[in-house]
Amino acid sequence: MPALVNYSGDDDFYVGGSFYTNSRDLGRLCSISSQVDVYCPPRKRARITAPFLFGETEFEQNKQPSINVLPDECLFEIFKRLSGGKERSSCACVSKHWLMLLTGIRKSEYESSKVVKENIGSVSDDVEMISSDEGDGYLTRSLEGKKATDMRLAAVAVGTSGHGGLGKLSIRGSTSSCGVTNFGLSAIARGCPSLKVLSLWNVPRVGDEGLSEIAKECHLLEKLDLCQCPSITNKGLTAIAENCPNLTALSVESCPKIGNEGLQAIGKLCPKLQSISIKDCPLVGDNGVSSLFSSASSILSKVKLQGLNITDFSLAVIGHYGKSVTNLMLGGLRNVSEKGFWVMGNAKGLQKLVSLMITSCWGVTDVSLEAVGKGCPNLKQMSLRRCCFVSDDGLVAFAKFAGSLEGLQLEECNKVTQSGIIGVLSNCGLKSLALVKCMGIKDISLEAPLSSPCSSLKSLSVRNCAGFGTSSLAMVGKLCPQLQHVDLSGLYGITDAGLLPLLESSEAGLVKVNLSDCLNLTDEVVLALARLHGGTLELLNLDGCRRITDASLMAVADSCIFLSDLDVSRCAITDVGVSALSHAKQLNLQVLSFSGCSGVSNKSIPSLKRLGKTLLGLNLQCCNSISSRTVELLVESLWRCDILF
């Protein structure tokens, strides 16, 4: 054993360098070693203390990284044989060049997809079928602003294929030079054939080429939204019509190069189209709009036409052929006269119409409005905005014939007066009435006796109508005893004496009350509201009622057991009122706002912490008596509550 341990053989270590001074000799040895058996006696492993270097004759001639040695054609064939989406995503992360190559491969060109199809066609008991869940279209992606680029779209196209497939894509672009182009949209088309919903907003560099690629590859497309796409023309829209028969919804806004030709193709080749919205497209005229309705297979149910150069002819077509239309919005149609609306109503084709909204259309008069009421017997929701030729007579006549009417909204209809409102309430079973900026309503007492009460009205909203005052409120209180929702925001003229009769006449119990910016109201109104409706009140907005004090909060704390939303911003509230709220035993507030209440200070923090047990939202903006440090401590304590400061 000692002899073995003390063996004195060749113990010298090799100190580095090549066994052969010439690298060619090493090459000869390597070449013959694969052909003959070479015996090498065992020897100790050399300890390398210096780099093992070959000669510079052959090995340093090509310093190009091996990743770029293969030509694109070879890489293309390799990528086509990748087994699944995860492998493709991994390859896409290697370099931008590889990502671009992957986006050039259609999903149908992958060998794995072909194997799936073959196995589906020839399934036997002893062969396991390969299945794939990559093309169902479950995923949603949205790119906005600077993030909307071709490179990101390429990454989306490759990355979503292995995770359920892309179903919805929304692009909100910008005018930057690196925004989305046809290349990015083409990548989506080739990689995401499962796409069903596509929305393009403000993408000036996307044109017919990109949209045509979508049409060619994404045959499952159901919804298309184009807004501010100046480079897309009728050609791109026609391609969609020819290749996407499942299209159910189309929205085109501010696309100056899309006109009648594209809409005619849509009307002819998209039999499943149910919703159409066209806004501010100057090339769209009667021929395009009429072609959408005149088709025998038209099942259009939702229609929005705004800012178009159409005439009475289009409305006549809608009136005759719009048998499936349930929702109709018409706005800014300056070339449509009274005759157009009159024909639309008298054509009797809008029997299924449920909701009608008309904005800034000079052709809406008393005569045409009455015709619409006669021709739409199932109309439930009606909105008239800035229709300056509608008066009391037309409104009352419309209400008489629209027997199914449930909701009416009038905005800036300045020829409508108090008499017209009473006439409407007396002639139909309205459930909701909204008046906004109707300057024709004056606060006068009517000498004629009021008709029978309108027991069906549950919601009344009167906003920013300067003439609506004490007498008008008293009239509403007598006519509408079943009110539950009241919005009187911006009525500077109403006082406690005018509002109290309304509160006292409400029999059903008020649930939501908005009195924001009613500057002349005092605590007396809130005390009466809490006493009469504390058992039903859920929302109370007193924002800007500067004469409301802590007394109101004390009344709310004592009586309003179901109140969940309270806004006393810009009121004369102090720490005393906050403390009263926090000691309420049955109050479970979820949203509370003290914005602009300078009387609320750091002393209210313990009270706010007690309220925070149920609060989900707290607004302390412009509360100058509360320090930032105090708010930080409050945020730490009320971690489940969103606090604005």
Side-chain angles (χ1 to χ4, degrees):
M1 181 66 70
L4 179 63
V5 172
N6 297 323
Y7 174 69
S8 59
D10 186 8
D11 291 332
D12 295 335
F13 293 106
Y14 193 69
V15 295
S18 174
F19 290 106
Y20 295 89
T21 57
N22 190 346
S23 60
R24 294 181 181 178
D25 297 335
L26 177 64
R28 296 191 190 99
L29 177 61
C30 294
S31 62
I32 66 173
S33 63
S34 60
Q35 302 175 11
V36 299
D37 296 330
V38 180
Y39 172 74
C40 298
R43 63 182 290 122
K44 293 184 179 180
R45 184 175 56 185
R47 180 181 295 173
I48 304 299
T49 59
F52 188 75
L53 300 176
F54 295 110
E56 299 182 357
T57 55
E58 295 181 6
F59 293 89
E60 294 186 0
Q61 291 179 357
N62 187 3
K63 294 184 179 181
Q64 186 179 10
S66 60
I67 194 174
N68 295 323
V69 170
L70 290 176
D72 290 349
E73 293 79 6
C74 292
L75 289 173
F76 189 84
E77 292 299 324
I78 293 173
F79 292 157
K80 283 172 58 177
R81 288 161 174 78
L82 293 176
S83 58
K86 294 181 180 180
E87 290 77 5
R88 298 165 203 160
S89 298
S90 299
C91 289
C93 294
V94 172
S95 67
K96 290 183 179 180
H97 180 63
W98 280 28
L99 174 60
M100 293 298 102
L101 286 177
L102 283 164
T103 58
I105 305 176
R106 291 178 172 83
K107 197 165 187 180
S108 59
E109 294 176 341
Y110 285 106
E111 293 296 330
S112 58
S113 300
K114 297 178 181 178
V115 171
V116 170
K117 294 180 180 179
E118 292 176 0
N119 287 332
I120 291 176
S122 58
V123 178
S124 61
D125 295 334
D126 57 343
V127 177
E128 181 181 0
M129 185 180 68
I130 301 175
S131 61
S132 174
D133 59 350
E134 296 183 2
D136 295 326
Y138 298 123
L139 301 181
T140 298
R141 293 291 181 266
S142 178
L143 303 180
E144 298 185 8
K146 294 181 179 179
K147 294 182 179 180
T149 62
D150 287 344
M151 194 61 62
R152 287 184 180 270
L153 283 181
V156 167
V158 176
T160 57
S161 62
H163 298 82
L166 184 65
K168 298 180 181 180
L169 176 63
S170 174
I171 303 175
R172 301 291 191 270
S174 63
T175 56
S176 63
S177 57
C178 59
V180 174
T181 67
N182 291 324
F183 178 84
L185 207 59
S186 299
I188 290 293
R190 289 188 290 267
C192 308
S194 60
L195 188 67
K196 295 180 180 180
V197 180
L198 176 62
S199 179
L200 302 176
W201 282 41
N202 192 20
V203 283
R205 301 175 67 189
V206 172
D208 295 335
E209 181 182 347
L211 196 60
S212 297
E213 283 294 318
I214 291 289
K216 186 187 303 181
E217 303 293 340
C218 304
H219 301 298
L220 300 178
L221 191 68
E222 296 177 358
K223 297 181 180 180
L224 178 63
D225 183 6
L226 304 176
C227 180
Q228 297 180 11
C229 301
S231 300
I232 295 179
T233 69
N234 290 321
K235 181 180 178 181
L237 198 59
T238 301
I240 292 290
E242 293 174 347
N243 295 278
C244 303
N246 295 320
L247 193 69
T248 60
L250 174 64
S251 177
V252 183
E253 180 178 346
S254 300
C255 296
K257 294 184 179 180
I258 292 181
N260 294 330
E261 183 182 344
L263 293 182
Q264 287 172 342
I266 292 290
K268 181 179 180 181
L269 301 173
C270 298
K272 297 182 180 181
L273 190 67
Q274 299 177 15
S275 175
I276 185 72
S277 175
I278 310 172
K279 180 179 178 181
D280 297 333
C281 295
L283 297 183
V284 174
D286 291 330
N287 292 335
V289 172
S290 60
S291 64
L292 295 171
F293 293 90
S294 57
S295 174
S297 60
S298 176
I299 57 173
L300 274 175
S301 59
K302 296 181 180 180
V303 179
K304 177 181 177 181
L305 305 175
Q306 190 171 353
L308 305 179
N309 295 321
I310 59 177
T311 65
D312 298 341
F313 179 77
S314 291
L315 264 64
V317 172
I318 293 174
H320 279 90
Y321 298 102
K323 297 179 180 180
S324 300
V325 176
T326 58
N327 298 73
L328 177 60
M329 179 189 173
L330 305 172
L333 305 181
R334 301 301 176 87
N335 296 327
V336 178
S337 66
E338 179 186 72
K339 180 180 178 181
F341 285 96
W342 184 87
V343 173
M344 184 181 75
N346 283 317
K348 307 294 183 180
L350 296 174
Q351 298 293 309
K352 294 184 179 181
L353 189 65
V354 175
S355 175
L356 175 60
M357 179 183 292
I358 303 177
T359 304
S360 301
C361 292
W362 297 342
V364 180
T365 63
D366 292 343
V367 174
S368 59
L369 188 60
E370 180 180 355
V372 170
K374 292 179 180 179
C376 305
N378 295 306
L379 189 64
K380 293 184 178 181
Q381 302 292 331
M382 179 65 170
S383 176
L384 295 174
R385 302 176 60 193
R386 294 189 288 277
C387 295
C388 53
F389 297 115
V390 175
S391 67
D392 294 338
D393 294 337
L395 195 62
V396 173
F398 168 79
K400 287 181 179 179
F401 292 106
S404 302
L405 194 65
E406 297 179 356
L408 176 63
Q409 178 182 357
L410 302 176
E411 182 175 346
E412 295 185 40
C413 296
N414 296 326
K415 294 185 71 175
V416 175
T417 67
Q418 197 179 56
S419 299
I421 300 302
I422 295 176
V424 169
L425 294 176
S426 304
N427 285 283
C428 65
L430 274 184
K431 294 182 180 180
S432 173
L433 175 63
L435 306 174
V436 183
K437 297 181 181 179
C438 293
M439 302 305 174
I441 298 177
K442 305 299 181 182
D443 194 38
I444 57 176
S445 299
L446 297 178
E447 298 179 358
L450 296 176
S451 59
S452 59
C454 179
S455 300
S456 61
L457 194 69
K458 306 294 183 182
S459 176
L460 174 66
S461 176
V462 184
R463 304 194 305 271
N464 300 314
C465 296
F468 201 94
T470 302
S471 299
S472 302
L473 280 176
M475 173 201 70
V476 170
K478 294 178 180 179
L479 270 177
C480 310
Q482 300 298 319
L483 282 177
Q484 295 181 350
H485 302 167
V486 175
D487 184 354
L488 304 176
S489 56
L491 301 186
Y492 306 115
I494 63 173
T495 61
D496 295 347
L499 188 56
L500 286 174
L502 175 64
L503 301 181
E504 294 172 353
S505 62
S506 179
E507 301 174 359
L510 294 175
V511 178
K512 296 181 180 181
V513 177
N514 187 350
L515 302 173
S516 60
D517 291 321
C518 294
L519 304 179
N520 295 317
L521 297 183
T522 68
D523 292 326
E524 184 179 357
V525 166
V526 182
L527 294 177
L529 184 61
R531 184 182 73 255
L532 297 171
H533 305 284
T536 58
L537 193 63
E538 297 177 4
L539 181 148
L540 177 59
N541 190 340
L542 300 170
D543 181 11
C545 299
R546 55 195 180 190
R547 301 177 68 180
I548 298 297
T549 67
D550 295 332
S552 294
L553 292 190
M554 294 178 184
V556 167
D558 291 338
S559 304
C560 301
I561 58 177
F562 295 111
L563 190 67
S564 61
D565 192 329
L566 176 63
D567 191 342
V568 288
S569 301
R570 298 181 294 155
C571 295
I573 302 299
T574 67
D575 297 328
V576 176
V578 180
S579 178
L581 280 180
S582 67
H583 287 91
K585 296 181 179 180
Q586 297 180 323
L587 195 62
N588 292 302
L589 284 173
Q590 295 184 359
V591 180
L592 180 61
S593 178
F594 291 114
S595 176
C597 296
S598 57
V600 178
S601 67
N602 292 335
K603 296 179 180 180
S604 293
I605 297 304
S607 300
L608 292 175
K609 288 183 178 180
R610 283 193 292 270
L611 289 168
K613 295 178 180 179
T614 59
L615 282 179
L616 300 178
L618 176 62
N619 189 351
L620 298 176
Q621 291 179 314
C622 302
C623 293
N624 300 325
S625 300
I626 300 179
S627 64
S628 300
R629 176 56 183 165
T630 303
V631 174
E632 292 176 1
L633 296 175
L634 190 63
V635 170
E636 294 178 1
S637 177
L638 306 180
W639 56 269
R640 65 190 296 268
C641 177
D642 291 330
I643 300 178
L644 297 178
F645 180 72

